[in-house]
Amino acid sequence: MYKGWIEKARAGDREAYETIVQQFTGMALAVAYEKLRDSHWAEDAVQEAFAEAFGNLHKLRETEAFPGWFKVIVERQCHRHLRRKRHLTIPLHEIEHLDGEQTSLAAIVERREMQKALHASIVDLSPNMRLAVQLFYFQGYTIREISSYLGTSTTILKKRLYDARIKLKRTLPVADFISVFNDLNEGGEAVLHIVNGDSVADKLKQGAIQGEILVWRELYPAGPVFHDMEESSNRLIRAQFLEQAMGIPQEEYIKISETQERALQDFKKYNEIVLWFEHDLFDQTMLCYLLHWFEKQSLGQTQLSLLCIGAYPGIDLFRGLGQLSTKQIEALSGTWHSVGQKELELGRKVWAAYASQEIDKHIQLVREDTSALPFVRDAFEAHLSRLPSTRNGLGIIEQTTLEMVASGVNTPYELFSRVGDQLNVLGMGDLEYWYRLSKMSEEPHPLLHVQGLVAFPDFKQSEPLFRESVITITELGRDVLAGEVDWATLKGVDEWLGGFRQQGQTVAWRWDATNKKVIRKAQHRH
């Protein structure tokens, strides 16, 4: 690889210098031609870029960064040429010997005309597509070489080449060149997409996005989580909670968990793994768990990529990828970016905090720089807002639910929809919400009364009568909503928030909604 040659070139090795020139000339010419639209100017710019690069090679800290670093130098030289507005020249080497034989003027002209025809055939492509075609087809570089040079993932490059093929099949004037395009690997064959639910998975399958799909089946915002989720004892504790709270059979949960963990262990068979996630707590905990897992691995040749969004054009209230149509999902193909060490390390750090038994670790995270994963801070703040409040002992879900019922929303599914819209940063699913609703309506000290209730729906079965139930607020619920009674102290708590568990009548840790911070009970006034 080029890394060893760069080290030798730094030491003054002429052979190493020539090897690097040979390896990167084609790529540099393609980039320069894209900027300058003239082959002579492009050649001059590349020559000058090599001179500048090797004159400053001592400034390059990491040899792995050479392709991108050199590309910037080429682009800078192109801008200099544009400012000079130089006239066209004829390179002498085109009328001198080529491979020991005399090249005729006619041959030069013919080759020039072929180059013009090829470049003209791709002029209507987008700049990114055009550059990918030039490097892959005109220059013959591999996908991985182009990826390293441009700093673009292999999946995005394959998508650009695939899209170019569709366009050029109808417009390319050179018949032989069309046959080259028929050999195109259309991309995605060695790609694994990890998504947050079946709805997104189904739309990926229906669209043109190729590769295998793994649905990550977890709901980390509910129940106990642990730093090492793979440990059988930890998994059993979580399985027992989920069965009791949501009706998810222990055996089924454990089987699903083990199956998807095994799928992760096979990651090296993929060239690229793409993580599809959203802005909310449900997804951010899932994302950070996976980043935490991958951070411990030696990725080798596998590229890890991330698509994470919190909005979509034309959708006023974006709650998740499941809202999007197949076409809208398809339009996101190739917009993911490569996951670097910063994202991996932050993912590990977030998961360690979320899974910690110490609330201080949870609190500390929102005070630190989490910009490498831009949705983490808001999601983590929402996580903390589920603690009993300083005002009345209600978490954010219970508070919002009581407010909705008091305003006249009195059927379960409308309530779930309205609360979910208002608290979309939580990404809360129906099973998690029914669990919360059941706790609010259970004796002793219920906040709500559910008229006509037979049973809450669970993992395996729905209750038809539940849809027709009428939810009303109790007298205690009104007192708590008014701030006259502290529900957490009255009822006591037994809540898991990630790895932190708070139990008993003395509820030490509270959420101060006014100042958006966690405080100890002794610090707030009754």
Side-chain angles (χ1 to χ4, degrees):
M1 278 294 287
Y2 62 85
K3 299 173 190 175
W5 291 110
I6 290 172
E7 293 295 344
K8 291 179 181 179
R10 275 176 165 167
D13 188 318
R14 181 68 185 177
E15 182 184 356
Y17 170 86
E18 292 174 352
T19 300
I20 294 169
V21 170
Q22 184 179 15
Q23 185 169 351
F24 286 95
T25 293
M27 287 185 183
L29 283 172
V31 170
Y33 184 87
E34 181 62 32
K35 297 284 184 185
L36 301 172
R37 315 303 298 167
D38 181 272
S39 58
H40 308 302
W41 288 16
E43 288 169 359
D44 289 346
V46 169
Q47 274 191 330
E48 291 168 13
F50 273 121
E52 180 181 343
F54 283 98
N56 292 279
L57 202 56
H58 62 283
K59 297 179 181 179
L60 182 64
R61 293 183 179 180
E62 298 179 359
T63 55
E64 294 85 349
F66 180 84
W69 179 72
F70 181 56
K71 177 174 174 282
V72 171
I73 294 174
V74 172
E75 290 172 337
R76 185 163 60 239
Q77 288 293 345
C78 290
H79 290 307
R80 289 172 182 165
H81 274 260
L82 288 172
R83 288 198 299 270
R84 294 175 200 155
K85 294 185 177 180
R86 293 178 57 186
H87 297 290
L88 286 173
T89 59
I90 302 175
L92 290 175
H93 67 79
E94 291 207 352
I95 56 175
E96 291 177 348
H97 291 75
L98 181 65
D99 295 331
E101 297 181 3
Q102 186 71 30
T103 304
S104 69
L105 182 60
I108 295 170
V109 171
E110 183 180 356
R111 189 172 66 188
R112 276 295 177 81
E113 290 304 314
M114 175 62 75
Q115 288 175 345
K116 287 180 181 178
L118 293 177
H119 286 301
S121 68
I122 65 173
V123 72
D124 291 330
L125 296 178
S126 70
N128 285 335
M129 273 191 208
R130 209 159 48 226
L131 187 54
V133 168
Q134 287 172 335
L135 291 171
F136 188 69
Y137 291 107
F138 298 0
Q139 303 291 343
Y141 287 99
T142 67
I143 294 289
R144 286 197 175 278
E145 287 172 332
I146 301 170
S147 172
S148 175
Y149 186 64
L150 298 182
T152 304
S153 80
T154 56
T155 302
I156 293 175
L157 288 171
K158 288 179 179 179
K159 179 69 166 60
R160 288 175 185 169
L161 290 170
Y162 173 73
D163 290 342
R165 173 196 174 186
I166 299 303
K167 292 177 182 290
L168 292 171
K169 263 188 169 180
R170 305 186 192 95
T171 62
L172 201 62
V174 186
D176 288 342
F177 199 57
I178 294 178
S179 67
V180 175
F181 274 81
N182 289 332
D183 295 329
L184 174 63
N185 172 6
E186 297 184 3
E189 291 183 357
V191 177
L192 175 67
H193 301 276
I194 303 181
V195 302
N196 66 353
D198 290 296
S199 174
V200 179
D202 290 342
K203 289 169 184 175
L204 285 180
K205 291 172 185 174
Q206 293 166 21
I209 297 173
Q210 299 183 29
E212 296 181 32
I213 298 170
L214 171 62
V215 178
W216 197 257
R217 304 183 190 282
E218 257 293 5
L219 58 161
Y220 296 121
V225 301
F226 305 91
H227 187 269
D228 298 312
M229 295 291 287
E230 307 98 314
E231 284 191 10
S232 57
S233 58
N234 292 339
R235 183 170 283 152
L236 180 59
I237 292 171
R238 180 163 175 77
Q240 289 170 342
F241 173 90
L242 293 175
E243 182 174 70
Q244 182 180 3
M246 300 176 194
I248 301 173
Q250 288 187 44
E251 296 82 1
E252 187 161 348
Y253 170 77
I254 291 172
K255 181 179 178 181
I256 289 170
S257 299
E258 291 175 345
T259 300
Q260 60 191 23
E261 292 286 354
R262 282 197 299 271
L264 279 191
Q265 294 289 348
D266 285 339
F267 75 90
K268 288 193 175 180
K269 73 180 185 180
Y270 301 102
N271 293 330
E272 183 169 22
I273 296 175
V274 184
L275 309 174
W276 294 69
F277 289 104
E278 299 148 12
H279 65 293
D280 53 56
L281 180 66
F282 180 88
D283 274 39
Q284 290 298 298
T285 51
M286 200 180 293
L287 169 61
C288 288
Y289 172 76
L290 290 168
L291 292 175
H292 145 83
W293 190 92
F294 280 111
E295 198 273 340
K296 297 184 293 182
Q297 316 304 316
S298 174
L299 293 176
Q301 297 300 310
T302 302
Q303 171 66 52
L304 192 62
S305 299
L306 172 62
L307 182 146
C308 191
I309 61 175
Y312 193 91
I315 297 179
D316 292 334
L317 178 60
F318 179 76
R319 288 191 61 177
L321 292 164
Q323 285 177 277
L324 306 184
S325 67
T326 299
K327 286 291 184 185
Q328 288 171 322
I329 288 278
E330 197 174 310
L332 292 172
S333 175
T335 63
W336 43 80
H337 68 273
S338 297
V339 172
Q341 196 58 37
K342 285 184 179 179
E343 290 96 335
L344 287 168
E345 289 177 358
L346 181 57
R348 173 187 55 76
K349 190 173 184 177
V350 172
W351 183 257
Y354 186 72
S356 175
Q357 298 176 20
E358 302 172 34
I359 191 65
D360 288 343
K361 298 287 180 63
H362 298 243
I363 297 168
Q364 182 60 32
L365 189 75
V366 296
R367 299 171 180 164
E368 298 184 5
D369 178 15
T370 57
S371 57
L373 297 171
F375 298 115
V376 157
R377 194 188 184 285
D378 286 348
F380 224 73
E381 188 175 274
H383 155 63
L384 293 173
S385 74
R386 298 180 298 161
L387 284 165
S389 73
T390 56
R391 180 174 176 272
N392 58 11
L394 296 179
I396 190 65
I397 298 170
E398 292 77 16
Q399 177 71 29
T400 306
T401 297
L402 275 192
E403 290 172 357
M404 289 285 181
V405 175
S407 72
V409 181
N410 61 7
T411 57
Y413 284 92
E414 183 185 5
L415 191 58
F416 169 61
S417 176
R418 296 278 292 275
V419 172
D421 283 347
Q422 186 163 324
L423 302 180
N424 68 86
V425 69
L426 292 176
M428 182 170 50
D430 55 355
L431 284 182
E432 183 183 355
Y433 188 62
W434 303 148
Y435 165 67
R436 295 281 182 177
L437 206 59
S438 68
K439 294 192 73 173
M440 293 178 71
S441 60
E442 70 185 11
E443 297 285 352
H445 314 302
L447 302 173
L448 299 172
H449 176 66
V450 187
Q451 183 181 348
L453 175 68
V454 175
F456 281 90
D458 64 17
F459 179 69
K460 283 296 185 183
Q461 59 187 27
S462 61
E463 292 289 343
L465 294 177
F466 178 69
R467 186 175 290 275
E468 309 302 323
S469 299
V470 176
I471 301 173
T472 55
I473 189 169
T474 64
E475 194 63 36
L476 173 63
R478 293 188 184 280
D479 291 341
V480 171
L481 195 56
E484 296 172 2
V485 176
D486 188 288
W487 191 55
T489 301
L490 176 67
K491 191 178 180 72
V493 299
D494 185 1
E495 287 287 342
W496 286 93
L497 293 182
F500 171 68
R501 188 180 191 181
Q502 186 160 226
Q503 293 176 285
Q505 300 293 131
T506 303
V507 186
W509 295 100
R510 301 288 186 129
W511 175 249
D512 179 351
T514 302
N515 297 303
K516 293 189 174 182
K517 65 179 183 178
V518 177
I519 64 175
R520 292 187 68 89
K521 184 178 178 181
Q523 294 177 271
H524 85 274
R525 296 177 181 177
H526 295 281

